[in-house]
Amino acid sequence: MCGIVGFTGTREAAPVLIDGLRRLEYRGYDSAGVAVSDGGTVNMAKVKGYVKNLSEITHDGADLKGRIGIGHTRWATHGAPNDVNAHPHLSSDGRFAVVHNGIIENYALLRQELTGRGYKFASDTDTEVVAHLLELYYDGDAKRAVMRTAARLEGSYSLGVLCSDGRLFAMREQSPLILGLGVGENYFASDVAALVPHTKNVIYLDDGEFAELTPDSVTVYDVLGRAVEKPVSRVTWDVEAAEKGGYEHFMLKEIMEQPACFKATVEPRIKDGRIVFENFDLTDEELHGINRVIITACGSASYAGQVGRYIMEELCRIPVSVELASELRYRNPIIDKHTMLIVISQSGETADTIAAMRECKARGARVLAIVNVVGSTIAKLADHVIYTWAGPEIAVATTKGYTTQVAVLDMLAIYLADRLGLMEKERYDRLVDALHAMPGQIQRAIDLNRNIGRLAKKFCRHNAIYFIGRNLDYAVCMEGALKLKEISYIFAEAYAAGELKHGTIALVEEGSLVIALACYEPLFDKTMSNIEEVKARGAEVLAVALEGSRKILSKADDVIFVPRTEPVFNPIAQVVPLQLFAYYVARERGCDIDKPKNLAKSVTVE
Ligand code: AGP
């Protein structure tokens, strides 16, 4: 996912922009650049590689003079990662510089038209068409050129536009762009993390809107160029939240933050012993009109949905399915106004999830979003939003994002079951009490596994690791396997334990490592049988079991114990040691834990 920053003020812009880009590095990228101006010429530097390379060639921006500017970190979609394809892109006359996040779907036709008009393209990117369109439509008024250009673009984009006359614009269409309000200076960025060092007062642009920024003013316009009033939001977290805080990696920090993030997500939604949601106000008629729930997401968010599915079906007695967004969007699904679609996304910007959401919304589904980023595209498109309050998640491998998603799904299931008259008061109160106790249980899951590095050292040389479990254990296996493979690059897969004998057990041989989750007590004996099955074929078994479950010691070679919680909340405690196991295995293997190869924090392209 590309990163965008913009600045206008009385300070030199380049150092501010480069610092902003550093705070967006976690999103994954392959090149970086900045363009600045003082009203006259545009000075630009861009380079394949990292922000530190950009800083080196510009002496941390000191070589570039100008108090207005734009910056970009690029995650290549069109055109290889190289200096030429890096952003910003200039118009032929050098008057405009542009940075872009998203995809201009109709860029090929626009490129053909512009080439026919005599424009010469320097790069292979879709973005460059924007720079030349601005030049084509410029008649002395940069704002009008911006509007006319926007009218020609199709697709998703957030754009920063710098004009050599010193004017600075930000444009948003289906890709996040946030304005930062300073004193004598103003900013924009694709992510609040780049703004927080300067200001906590922000404005979230909506699709179709654009803004002009000067050092003393920020004006937002609608698609017709009419000024619109926008609310100023206050960012609730500090710069430190987006920094490592003394941990070796963001991922470890974010694992350790989970007790606090769970509390921040849950506690504000329990008032006088009752679960309340700030933006989920179905009438009884609407609620009883729902006859099925589809949960859609990608990656770990979909695995959080797998946990939610078991719990929601169990408590609410309503059919719930989990559909990978990349499949759901193309499946011509049978959806109507009686379908509730629950969309889960940490970033709120995952392209496949957005597309699936649009598809289902168009077919009449009522959409509830569970997202972590305020003002994100998914949050804005949904009928209802329940935010996870995990704070900024920097590591590509999600941890606190996942557990707070599960926390919201747990609360939602309890809330809906109660609204549907399916929950006795005693059980409701017991579950609410257990929610209050969960931060302590998560901390205990961390404390019980301070020595998990020993297990990681023992098992880090395996080339394939099988996760097996049943019911909720199986759902957690999916997340445990993904964590391991995405940061340690070890082949790992989750299998429903009951499925082993239908083929997969053929893979189990002397020395295979099987991680068996055995916390779902109604099926504990079945899982124990599966452990015996794989052991009989020479496997080594690392089990995950509830504290006090001593029977497991008779079968498993090693055991990770987790605290006993309300059964429906076990997944939240269980996943923590699996996160730590993946982290320490990756560390043993010398992997780039916070920025795993080939991965980005938010997959905003298909
Ligand atoms: C999880 O560790 C991965 N980074 C990935 O699977 C991620 O969960 C997925 O891309 C969905 O991202 P989202 O929650 O931001 O939509």
Side-chain angles (χ1 to χ4, degrees):
M1 185 171 181
C2 303
I4 287 178
V5 291
F7 173 83
T8 178
T10 54
R11 294 187 277 166
E12 286 302 321
V16 177
L17 296 168
I18 289 175
D19 178 65
L21 294 180
R22 285 195 188 96
R23 298 175 189 277
L24 301 183
E25 287 194 284
Y26 75 92
R27 301 153 67 101
Y29 70 102
D30 48 57
S31 52
V34 292
V36 297
S37 174
D38 255 342
T41 58
V42 172
N43 308 311
M44 182 173 76
K46 56 183 186 175
V47 63
K48 179 184 175 183
Y50 294 119
V51 174
K52 69 177 171 41
N53 305 112
L54 178 66
S55 176
E56 284 161 5
I57 66 171
T58 63
H59 294 95
D60 206 30
D63 299 351
L64 294 170
K65 296 304 178 192
R67 286 160 298 169
I68 308 149
I70 54 179
H72 189 264
T73 52
R74 177 177 185 245
W75 197 62
T77 55
H78 296 72
N82 58 35
D83 294 359
V84 172
N85 288 333
H87 301 204
H89 289 285
L90 294 179
S91 55
S92 307
D93 62 5
R95 183 188 306 278
F96 290 99
V98 175
V99 291
H100 168 224
N101 181 25
I103 291 181
I104 309 293
E105 301 287 355
N106 62 333
Y107 88 96
L109 283 174
L110 292 171
R111 185 176 178 125
Q112 191 178 8
E113 176 193 334
L114 289 161
T115 305
R117 289 171 178 266
Y119 288 90
K120 299 282 182 277
F121 281 76
S123 77
D124 303 321
T125 67
D126 54 334
T127 306
E128 195 180 345
V129 299
V130 178
H132 298 312
L133 282 173
L134 286 163
E135 179 181 345
L136 172 66
Y137 292 125
Y138 183 72
D139 59 6
D141 180 342
K143 178 189 166 197
R144 192 166 37 244
V146 162
M147 289 176 61
R148 295 178 70 184
T149 297
R152 296 296 310 276
L153 303 180
E154 294 171 16
S156 64
Y157 55 82
S158 49
L159 288 163
V161 176
L162 170 64
C163 183
S164 60
D165 64 5
R167 297 180 77 175
L168 181 68
F169 298 90
M171 305 159 68
R172 173 189 164 132
E173 182 59 47
Q174 301 173 39
S175 185
L177 202 52
I178 305 134
L179 311 177
L181 309 181
V183 178
E185 55 189 41
N186 288 302
Y187 328 80
F188 57 76
S190 42
D191 185 314
V192 171
L195 301 176
V196 170
H198 309 293
T199 179
K200 292 190 178 182
N201 298 318
V202 298
I203 290 174
Y204 295 93
L205 282 180
D206 283 303
D207 288 346
E209 292 177 342
F210 68 98
E212 179 167 9
L213 293 81
T214 71
D216 301 312
S217 69
V218 170
T219 309
V220 178
Y221 300 95
D222 66 14
V223 68
L224 299 176
R226 296 169 304 196
V228 293
E229 280 302 311
K230 297 286 286 183
V232 177
S233 302
R234 182 86 177 146
V235 178
T236 58
W237 43 269
D238 298 316
V239 174
E240 293 70 30
E243 292 171 351
K244 283 185 191 168
Y247 285 93
E248 187 179 353
H249 296 98
F250 278 110
M251 184 178 177
L252 186 58
K253 176 189 174 215
E254 290 157 6
I255 290 171
M256 297 303 176
E257 286 177 336
Q258 291 180 113
C261 297
F262 183 97
K263 185 171 184 176
T265 298
V266 168
E267 287 302 332
R269 294 168 171 137
I270 300 176
K271 293 184 171 36
D272 302 327
R274 303 294 298 169
I275 294 172
V276 291
F277 290 113
E278 63 282 358
N279 181 2
F280 183 54
D281 45 0
L282 297 188
T283 64
D284 284 346
E285 185 189 0
E286 287 166 337
L287 191 54
H288 288 277
I290 294 167
N291 62 14
R292 69 186 287 228
V293 171
I294 295 176
I295 298 173
T296 195
C298 298
S300 288
S302 76
Y303 300 146
Q306 293 286 357
V307 173
R309 174 205 153 201
Y310 281 108
I311 294 168
M312 203 167 279
E313 281 201 338
E314 170 64 23
L315 297 184
C316 305
R317 307 315 298 155
I318 189 169
V320 181
S321 63
V322 180
E323 312 264 356
L324 290 173
S326 56
E327 288 296 309
L328 178 62
R329 65 179 293 192
Y330 296 116
R331 213 192 61 200
N332 191 17
I334 300 165
I335 283 171
D336 60 24
K337 63 184 170 111
H338 300 297
T339 305
M340 172 184 280
L341 181 79
I342 299 178
V343 179
I344 307 173
S345 176
Q346 191 284 131
S347 65
E349 300 301 340
T350 301
D352 282 321
T353 307
I354 292 169
M357 178 180 186
R358 290 182 187 282
E359 188 64 37
C360 296
K361 202 171 163 74
R363 294 164 187 250
R366 175 184 294 277
V367 180
L368 165 64
I370 299 174
V371 292
N372 193 44
V373 177
V374 175
S376 58
T377 300
I378 288 174
K380 288 181 174 296
L381 285 173
D383 300 310
H384 313 276
V385 180
I386 301 177
Y387 283 114
T388 51
W389 297 117
E393 188 174 67
I394 308 300
V396 167
T398 185
T399 50
K400 61 181 186 174
Y402 170 89
T403 47
T404 49
Q405 287 162 0
V406 174
V408 168
L409 289 163
D410 284 342
M411 287 196 290
L412 184 63
I414 298 164
Y415 169 84
L416 291 174
D418 178 56
R419 287 282 306 269
L420 292 168
L422 300 173
M423 173 103 37
E424 311 82 40
K425 184 176 184 326
E426 182 275 331
R427 186 177 191 196
Y428 184 97
D429 292 347
R430 193 175 74 246
L431 289 170
V432 169
D433 288 346
L435 284 171
H436 287 307
M438 271 314 289
Q441 301 279 45
I442 297 168
Q443 188 57 51
R444 179 153 180 73
I446 292 170
D447 295 343
L448 278 175
N449 292 285
R450 296 278 180 194
N451 70 342
I452 205 154
R454 175 185 63 77
L455 290 173
K457 204 182 286 289
K458 178 178 178 182
F459 295 125
C460 66
R461 295 287 157 245
H462 279 265
N463 296 319
I465 297 178
Y466 307 100
F467 287 73
I468 65 170
R470 292 170 177 263
N471 200 287
L472 283 172
D473 286 342
Y474 173 43
V476 178
C477 282
M478 297 176 192
E479 175 58 10
L482 175 60
K483 283 285 93 45
L484 188 63
K485 62 186 159 184
E486 73 173 324
I487 63 171
S488 73
Y489 314 140
I490 292 176
F491 175 81
E493 276 314 323
Y495 291 94
E499 270 296 291
L500 276 172
K501 52 184 151 322
H502 297 286
T504 309
I505 202 163
L507 298 174
V508 178
E509 57 191 13
E510 192 62 35
S512 295
L513 176 59
V514 173
I515 297 178
L517 273 60
C519 297
Y520 185 70
E521 291 197 310
L523 298 175
F524 178 81
D525 290 341
K526 294 282 184 190
T527 304
M528 286 290 279
S529 304
N530 295 124
I531 290 173
E532 288 181 60
E533 271 178 66
V534 294
K535 295 253 331 133
R537 284 139 180 102
E540 193 164 2
V541 173
L542 167 59
V544 179
L546 296 174
E547 266 189 302
S549 163
R550 308 201 55 74
K551 209 172 153 189
I552 198 79
L553 294 166
S554 64
K555 301 290 178 202
D557 299 288
D558 292 281
V559 182
I560 293 171
F561 285 108
V562 294
R564 194 176 290 275
T565 71
E566 266 294 326
V568 291
F569 301 151
N570 277 344
I572 295 172
Q574 253 177 300
V575 75
V576 171
L578 298 181
Q579 295 166 345
L580 289 167
F581 180 74
Y583 172 81
Y584 284 106
V585 167
R587 192 164 175 271
E588 283 296 324
R589 293 168 67 98
C591 298
D592 186 349
I593 291 172
D594 283 336
K595 289 184 269 183
K597 65 180 179 178
N598 306 336
L599 297 180
K601 181 57 185 171
S602 176
V603 184
T604 58
V605 294
E606 295 173 21

